Each structure stands twice: as structure tokens, then as C-alpha cells.
Amino acid sequence: MSEPLLEVQLSVNGVVHDLRVPARRLLSDALRHDLGLTGTHVGCEHGVCGACTVLADGRPVRACLMFAVSAVGLNLTTVEGLAGADGTLSNVQQAFAECHGLQCGFCTPGFLTTITAGLRDNPQPTHEQARDMIAGNLCRCTGYQNIVKAVERAAELGA
Amino acid sequence: MKPAPFDYVRPGSLEDALAALSGDPGAKVLAGGQSLVPLLSMRLAAPSRLVDINGLPGLDEVTVSPGGVRVGALARHADVLTHEEAARVQPLLRLALSHVAHATIRNRGTTVGSIVHADSAAELPMVLTLLGGSVEVVGPSGTRTIPASELYVGPLESSLAHDEIATSASFPALAPGGRVAFAEIARRHGDYALVGAAALVEGGTVKVGYVSVSDVPVVVDLSGVPVKDLGEAALARLEPAGDIHATAAYRAQLVRVLTERVVREATGDE
């Protein structure tokens, strides 16, 4: 017996998508598999690593801890939505490039979304606040020094 | 792993939500989902139906009165944490909430959800118990208020019936002149505490609540105990268990240290 599918409308990076998914489809999987937005990475899939972090109504949330059906009505922003329409890097992305905050790049989408919201709420973080801002995201290259530098550089650029 | 299939309902009214719950004995309520979804993904739980209450109106409010703070079922941890009036009337809320997971989890997770999830390793069930708060629940036969002392019956088990929905939690205000303190030891800030403790010093009484020490949130009355005896007095009433994260002996030592630390801080004897 095939699983029933639900009609779901998701607003992602300003575009409204209609999709049919089972209720158990995680938002992270809906973004990647149903919408092809593979910038959102899936690491631990139980909310620990932060690689799948997206913005829901501007707030960072774990896409692996939400169902796509629960995201109806939220304005979602993925890493694909951070750059300008013409491809211009956002200040946070620019700062990552300058400070070598990328490393292997797997955790990067979650850091970029988290920091984008973090700097919006606190545009001039202290060093300690910059560290705290990324505390919920894991980098398995353990390259946190450059990521913290990137937060501070993005603040200089005016994120 | 992915969650097992389930029937999904997103009601627009409390009546519809109650009907959806009572229509399936295997149904569970979904609010923030920050504890529930990992359990589903790891297939430690497989409810046949999820009743998503995120569409219910009026449940996301935090209301503050001189008597205390009332938190609606859809108020996110982050909203309670940053609520200035709530922090003024009951400062323990903010002290404890800053230790609940990471900011990203707090953006989605709900305070009431954490309370009825009934994890004794979580901060808020202990805070509700220490403060003598309560939870308001709605079921097929109407509304009832469950005091914290009757809420927790076992590991991850509350006294809510399966067809009831917790609509709010109430935290009494700190009495004039009262003081609170909170401390926990975790491997990383935001991880589950190996042991956590909060002190409530009000009107001549000294009470301490503990996180990750027993199967249910536990509070001991340490009124009148000299500072040097606090740790042993607390341990006389507790039996910390060992697990993969910490041995029983280490937990006992953390109880000694944290009990003294929070009571000293709350009594101003630092």
C-alpha cells in the first residue's frame, strides 16, 4: 500500500512551491529532494550538528527537526537565498571567503544562515558573542577559529 | 533513519485538536518537535497520528501578572527567554532557559512542550517543580489544572491522559525579597546537564531542585542546613544513578558542589 501524500505549499527564498509529500517528509529532505535545493546539508539528522539550519520567518531552525507539512505558512530562507539576485555574495559569505571560514564546506550552509540571523539581531558582537553565536553548529574540520574570524569580518562589512 | 509513516492532522481549533487526539489512542501532540522529532527519526517512538497544534490560535502568548508568568503552549523558549517582564517577575525562568539546548533549538522548541515531555534531564520540568507551578490541560471532559507535584510519574511520563492537551504552564512569581540561582555542569554548554541545580530562597525557606539526578524532577528542602553540610544533606535525600555520561559517584560529587554553589549564590553568601 502506498503512503498517502499531502499537498503542501512551501515558500522558500521568496518562491512558492507546490509539492506532494508524505507527512513524515522532513523539511531538510523536502528542500533537498523535492525542491532540489541541495545547499541545505544533512549531517546528524537529530538536531545536534546544525548543518541543515535554515531561516523560518528569519529565525534559524533545524530543518531536520521539522516536517515539511509543519512549515506551511513560514517564510523559509536557505543558503541559496543569501546571495543577491545577481550572484553577489552576502557580507557573511564574503567574510567566509576572505577568512577561509569554509574549509571542507559541509557545515557551511548552517553556519551562513545562523550567522546571517545572528548579525541581524546583534550587528556588533563582542568576540565572546561571536563565539556564542555559532555554538549550536558543529564543524568537523574543527576550524572554528576562522569561522569566528568570519563572523567578526562580516560584522565589519556590515552584515 | 526516517520516521515511520503517520497520519498527520493540523487542526485549526482546540475542539478539532481534541477530537483528532481522542480518535486515535496512538496519537501524539506535535508542537515544537525538538524532542519528539529526533525520537521519531530514531524510531524510538512511532505514533500512529501526529496532531500538529501549531495552527491553534492564541496559544503563543506569554502573560505576566504580579502573581506569576503564564506561558502558552506555543510560546517558544526564545520568546520566554527574552521576555523582560517575565524575567523580572520570575528570574529563574531566564536563568534556566539560557541553558536549554542552543539558540536555534530554542527558536522552535516550546517551554510547555518541554514540561510535558517530562524529561528529568531537562531544565524546565525541574523549574516548574521547584517553583510549585502548574500546567493547565484541556481534555474531552473540560479543563483541569495539574500541579507540578502531580505531573511527573516516571521517566518521560507525565500524568496527562493521551487525549489531553497542555495549553499553558504557570510559574509563580518570586516572593518579595526572594532569590534564585541556577547552575549546571554539561560537557558543552547547551548539552544535557550531567547534573543541574537551582536554588529558591524565599521567606526563610531554602529549596533546591535537581536536573539529571533522578527519573523525575526532584526538589529537596534544605532550610536551616548550615552551608558546610548542604551537600551531604542533599545527598541524604537523593540517589544519583550512574549512566554512560557520568558515574553515580561523579553525580554525587556534582550534587555536593552545585548544591552549595547555588545556595550560596541565592543567599548572597558567595
Side-chain angles (χ1 to χ4, degrees):
Chain A
M1 195 178 77
S2 65
E3 200 172 340
L5 300 180
L6 303 175
E7 306 277 349
V8 175
Q9 198 170 66
L10 291 184
S11 168
V12 187
N13 304 327
V15 180
V16 175
H17 301 267
D18 290 299
L19 53 162
R20 285 166 59 79
V21 293
R24 60 175 166 153
R25 179 80 93 234
L26 298 173
L27 177 60
S28 45
D29 291 334
L31 292 170
R32 290 178 59 82
H33 302 308
D34 299 297
L35 302 183
L37 295 168
T38 53
T40 298
H41 289 175
V42 173
C44 70
E45 215 165 45
H46 57 274
V48 175
C49 78
C52 70
T53 305
V54 300
L55 305 183
D57 289 344
R59 287 174 140 191
V61 297
R62 299 284 200 250
C64 75
L65 294 190
M66 282 181 70
F67 296 110
V69 283
S70 295
V72 171
L74 297 172
N75 281 312
L76 301 170
T77 305
T78 66
V79 69
E80 286 92 345
L82 298 184
D86 60 353
T88 311
L89 296 183
S90 73
N91 286 337
V92 178
Q93 291 171 312
Q94 182 63 36
F96 263 65
E98 288 179 19
C99 302
H100 189 42
L102 284 148
Q103 293 146 101
C104 90
F106 187 82
C107 66
T108 305
F111 275 100
L112 292 175
T113 49
T114 302
I115 295 165
T116 299
L119 289 176
R120 180 200 59 215
D121 296 341
N122 180 9
Q124 297 296 328
T126 62
H127 185 66
E128 207 45 48
Q129 288 168 336
R131 288 168 55 89
D132 194 49
M133 194 179 288
I134 61 161
N137 294 63
L138 297 182
C139 160
R140 295 196 74 172
C141 308
T142 66
Y144 297 103
Q145 303 302 332
N146 290 348
I147 296 173
V148 174
K149 277 183 200 160
V151 176
E152 294 174 331
R153 175 62 183 143
E156 282 174 13
L157 292 170
Chain B
M1 279 172 68
K2 307 295 177 190
F6 51 80
D7 172 29
Y8 174 84
V9 192
R10 189 185 171 104
S13 72
L14 203 48
E15 295 71 41
D16 289 349
L18 290 172
L21 267 186
S22 62
D24 184 343
K28 283 282 287 181
V29 173
L30 171 68
Q34 303 299 285
S35 299
L36 180 61
V37 178
L39 288 179
L40 302 183
S41 286
M42 290 187 267
R43 300 223 179 174
L44 295 170
S48 48
R49 172 182 289 182
L50 284 189
V51 180
D52 183 343
I53 63 168
N54 283 286
L56 298 188
L59 287 184
D60 59 350
E61 286 170 7
V62 178
T63 34
V64 182
S65 68
V69 180
R70 185 169 175 274
V71 177
L74 289 175
R76 313 291 162 177
H77 290 307
D79 298 325
V80 186
L81 177 64
T82 54
H83 202 290
E84 296 298 333
E85 254 187 295
R88 192 172 46 76
V89 167
Q90 182 42 266
L92 186 56
L93 276 178
R94 178 171 290 179
L95 292 179
L97 279 164
S98 68
H99 290 269
V100 175
H102 295 288
T104 306
I105 303 292
R106 296 196 294 262
N107 281 338
R108 186 74 188 161
T110 63
T111 296
V112 172
S114 171
I115 283 168
V116 297
H117 186 59
D119 190 342
S120 66
E123 290 81 1
L124 271 299
M126 179 273 273
V127 167
L128 190 83
T129 307
L130 175 62
L131 297 177
S134 61
V135 172
E136 187 161 293
V137 305
V138 179
S141 50
T143 301
R144 68 183 179 121
T145 301
I146 309 177
S149 58
E150 294 169 17
L151 186 59
Y152 298 110
V153 294
L156 297 176
E157 193 182 354
S158 80
S159 56
L160 260 75
H162 106 273
D163 54 0
E164 289 180 318
I165 297 174
T167 49
S168 70
S170 294
F171 302 88
L174 188 62
R179 297 273 300 264
V180 288
F182 186 96
E184 71 174 38
I185 302 293
R187 291 189 63 196
R188 294 180 310 162
H189 185 92
D191 283 2
Y192 281 114
L194 298 173
V195 171
L200 172 67
V201 176
E202 265 182 346
T205 66
V206 176
K207 289 180 182 168
V208 180
Y210 296 90
V211 171
S212 292
V213 164
S214 54
D215 286 346
V216 295
V218 61
V219 173
V220 299
D221 190 331
L222 296 172
S223 307
V225 176
V227 168
K228 66 178 175 47
D229 299 331
L230 282 167
E232 293 309 324
L235 279 175
R237 304 268 301 278
L238 300 168
E239 206 171 349
D243 60 22
I244 191 172
H245 305 293
T247 62
Y250 181 46
R251 279 217 167 83
Q253 178 60 14
L254 291 180
V255 167
R256 285 189 193 93
V257 171
L258 292 180
T259 301
E260 189 173 325
R261 187 178 298 173
V262 292
V263 172
R264 275 181 184 278
E265 192 184 331
T267 53
D269 175 23
E270 290 176 68

